[in-house]
Amino acid sequence: MKANSQRVKGKNFRPLNGKPLFRWILDSLLSLEEIDQVVINTDARDILAENGLVESERVVIRDRKAELCGDTVSMNLILADDIHNVPAETYLMTHTTNPMLSSETIRTALASYQEGVTKGTADSLFTVNKIQTRFYRADGSPVNHDPDNLIQTQDLEPWYEENSNLYIFSSGSFVETSARIGKKPILFEMQKLEAVDIDTLEDWMMAEAVANMRKKQEAA
């Protein structure tokens, strides 16, 4: 969790529908008994404290090393540092910028991962958006369809977009690939409204709209 962000200034601590952005995903994680501990890797311990968050039995705040700070540092390097310092059998990684990711989806993804590991068919999991639409290259040439034979988009081969919401893996899988996605990953499909990843102001407005819609649904 960075103190600064390039396109939406201070977004990790900016209020979203009544509470700081970071609290959305943190509350979802802490509501799950399957998660023993939440580790926050950050250069913003003081800002977290100003927003009422300090370390507890289930929340560990790790000060991000100076060499791991900056917008161009690979997340895999930050994860490697956490894994080295926080031993565990299973790691689940998400971002502050995924406020709509629900505890129900996290629980289901964990169960899917554990089933895959038990069967020997998977070593990791990451969330995706399923896309079935017509793609073109910059020169106008088609990528995944035949313009002379227009079939329904729902009949096109589905493509899967990594949506950066959730990753589950073991230390062994991470060591083998030096990455959060292993050699036998499960592609776990999410609903698009839940998969909002805030990177731009437009993303922020989308998250606000979804949060307001949820609030109305809960009040109904």
Side-chain angles (χ1 to χ4, degrees):
M1 189 188 307
K2 297 187 298 183
N4 298 310
S5 55
Q6 288 181 301
R7 285 176 281 189
V8 184
K9 299 300 182 184
K11 66 181 176 183
N12 290 331
F13 313 96
R14 180 175 174 172
L16 176 70
N17 206 346
K19 63 181 178 181
L21 181 63
F22 76 85
R23 287 262 26 151
W24 284 81
I25 189 63
L26 180 60
D27 290 346
S28 294
L29 293 170
L30 292 176
S31 71
L32 293 166
E33 60 182 16
E34 293 91 339
I35 295 177
D36 298 319
Q37 196 173 67
V38 177
V39 179
I40 301 174
N41 190 307
T42 184
D43 62 352
R45 181 186 289 266
D46 292 344
I47 303 177
L48 286 172
E50 290 171 5
N51 283 273
L53 183 67
V54 295
E55 289 191 304
S56 64
E57 184 177 348
R58 290 187 69 200
V59 176
V60 173
I61 300 175
R62 296 197 66 238
D63 295 311
R64 186 167 298 181
K65 296 177 179 177
E67 61 268 27
L68 296 178
C69 292
D71 296 321
T72 60
V73 176
S74 168
M75 180 55 66
N76 284 324
L77 294 177
I78 296 170
L79 285 172
D81 183 64
D82 282 333
I83 291 169
H84 178 73
N85 289 279
V86 186
E89 179 179 344
T90 302
Y91 294 91
L92 183 154
M93 183 252 173
T94 185
H95 298 91
T96 305
T97 51
N98 306 137
M100 299 298 106
L101 178 59
S102 68
S103 56
E104 292 79 9
T105 294
I106 297 171
R107 180 181 286 113
T108 304
L110 272 169
S112 179
Y113 165 79
Q114 289 163 352
E115 181 181 4
V117 169
T118 300
K119 291 181 177 178
T121 58
D123 63 356
S124 55
L125 176 150
F126 67 99
T127 51
V128 297
N129 298 330
K130 180 180 177 181
I131 300 175
Q132 284 177 285
T133 190
R134 300 183 182 95
F135 287 96
Y136 294 84
R137 299 178 183 86
D139 64 2
S141 60
V143 174
N144 65 329
H145 67 283
D146 179 2
D148 296 325
N149 181 26
L150 287 180
I151 63 174
Q152 298 181 99
T153 54
Q154 61 262 39
D155 293 327
L156 290 171
E157 176 189 358
W159 285 27
Y160 295 92
E161 175 191 23
E162 180 182 348
N163 62 31
S164 296
N165 266 246
L166 184 65
Y167 302 85
I168 307 175
F169 52 91
S170 67
S171 57
S173 171
F174 189 90
V175 167
E176 192 170 3
T177 62
S178 297
R180 55 196 176 184
I181 298 177
K183 292 186 176 181
K184 298 187 294 183
I186 295 170
L187 277 63
F188 188 87
E189 186 180 341
M190 285 179 60
Q191 295 181 359
K192 289 184 180 180
L193 287 180
E194 190 178 353
V196 177
D197 182 43
I198 300 176
D199 210 18
T200 65
L201 283 172
E202 185 179 16
D203 297 333
W204 184 278
M205 289 187 287
M206 175 66 76
E208 282 188 326
V210 175
N212 286 329
M213 179 184 68
R214 284 190 178 182
K215 187 174 182 180
K216 291 178 181 178
Q217 289 174 340
E218 292 170 358

